[in-house]
Amino acid sequence: MAAHAIRVVRLACAVAAGLLLAACDPQRIDALEEGVATEADVRKQFGEPEKIWDAPGGGRTFEYNRQPAGHRNYMITIGPDGKMSALRQVLTPENFARVQPGMMMEDVRKMLGKPRRITPFDLQREVAYDWRYLEPPNRSMLFTVYFDRDYRVLRTGSVPDPEASENQGR
């Protein structure tokens, strides 16, 4: 009986998580299937992209930014055939780990999308770009990339988002 109850609770949690995700997904991302959805389908679901980047092989990558209030940025690649070849949420630890000292700001921007905030530190001759993201299970964090005056990466770091209520000790 206890094992059955645990399975029921797990199923209920999974259903609730799915409903919560659907509620947070006004663009209905699940309606877009790689290799099937067209550029018109993507624009219908997401609207106009924040930015369009050239992609390898003649495609284009559409940037859909959810900063400053959101925790996600989406990059959707449209292949040369006009079909969606990739849809990915890019504010992930895996992508953050790819940001290395010496990289150019534009390369970071293409990887992570538009930042939440840009803060110049004139005396240090640096500028900081912040992206808001979620650390599992549901903690709001900031990923920061510090650039030198030539817009090359100096260093990166993550801290709890000081503006998020769960990080203010309430």
Side-chain angles (χ1 to χ4, degrees), residues 46-95:
F46 277 80
E48 286 299 310
E50 170 89 20
K51 183 118 173 117
I52 300 174
W53 305 94
D54 289 332
R60 296 173 298 145
T61 299
F62 292 3
E63 176 185 324
Y64 290 97
N65 187 292
R66 300 297 180 248
Q67 305 286 306
H71 293 93
R72 293 169 178 83
N73 281 348
Y74 295 98
M75 297 291 185
I76 300 176
T77 303
I78 306 296
D81 62 354
K83 300 229 172 144
M84 182 181 80
S85 60
L87 185 158
R88 60 199 184 284
Q89 192 290 107
V90 296
L91 300 180
T92 65
E94 295 80 17
N95 270 351

Side-chain angles (χ1 to χ4, degrees), residues 57-165:
R60 296 173 298 145
T61 299
F62 292 3
E63 176 185 324
Y64 290 97
N65 187 292
R66 300 297 180 248
Q67 305 286 306
H71 293 93
R72 293 169 178 83
N73 281 348
Y74 295 98
M75 297 291 185
I76 300 176
T77 303
I78 306 296
D81 62 354
K83 300 229 172 144
M84 182 181 80
S85 60
L87 185 158
R88 60 199 184 284
Q89 192 290 107
V90 296
L91 300 180
T92 65
E94 295 80 17
N95 270 351
F96 299 154
R98 293 176 46 211
V99 178
Q100 297 296 313
M103 286 179 72
M104 295 300 299
M105 181 271 295
E106 185 170 313
D107 295 326
V108 175
R109 177 82 169 62
K110 285 178 184 179
M111 187 185 318
L112 301 178
K114 183 178 178 180
R116 173 180 195 251
R117 176 179 29 225
I118 299 172
T119 307
F121 295 101
D122 294 331
L123 293 178
Q124 290 96 344
R125 296 180 164 175
E126 296 177 1
V127 62
Y129 282 42
D130 293 328
W131 286 267
R132 193 174 201 203
Y133 72 100
L134 283 178
E135 181 179 272
N138 208 20
R139 186 173 188 195
S140 185
M141 301 286 289
L142 290 179
F143 176 71
T144 304
V145 178
Y146 296 88
F147 296 96
D148 65 16
R149 64 177 177 232
D150 295 323
Y151 287 93
R152 291 191 180 276
V153 174
L154 292 169
R155 65 190 177 283
T156 66
S158 288
V159 297
D161 182 352
E163 295 174 18
S165 60

Side-chain angles (χ1 to χ4, degrees), residues 14-71:
V15 169
L19 291 174
L20 183 61
L21 182 60
C24 295
D25 182 12
Q27 288 75 33
R28 294 203 21 89
I29 292 168
D30 59 338
L32 298 174
E33 186 178 339
E34 291 181 8
V36 176
T38 65
E39 178 177 334
D41 297 330
V42 169
R43 287 178 183 267
K44 181 179 176 186
Q45 293 298 107
F46 277 80
E48 286 299 310
E50 170 89 20
K51 183 118 173 117
I52 300 174
W53 305 94
D54 289 332
R60 296 173 298 145
T61 299
F62 292 3
E63 176 185 324
Y64 290 97
N65 187 292
R66 300 297 180 248
Q67 305 286 306
H71 293 93

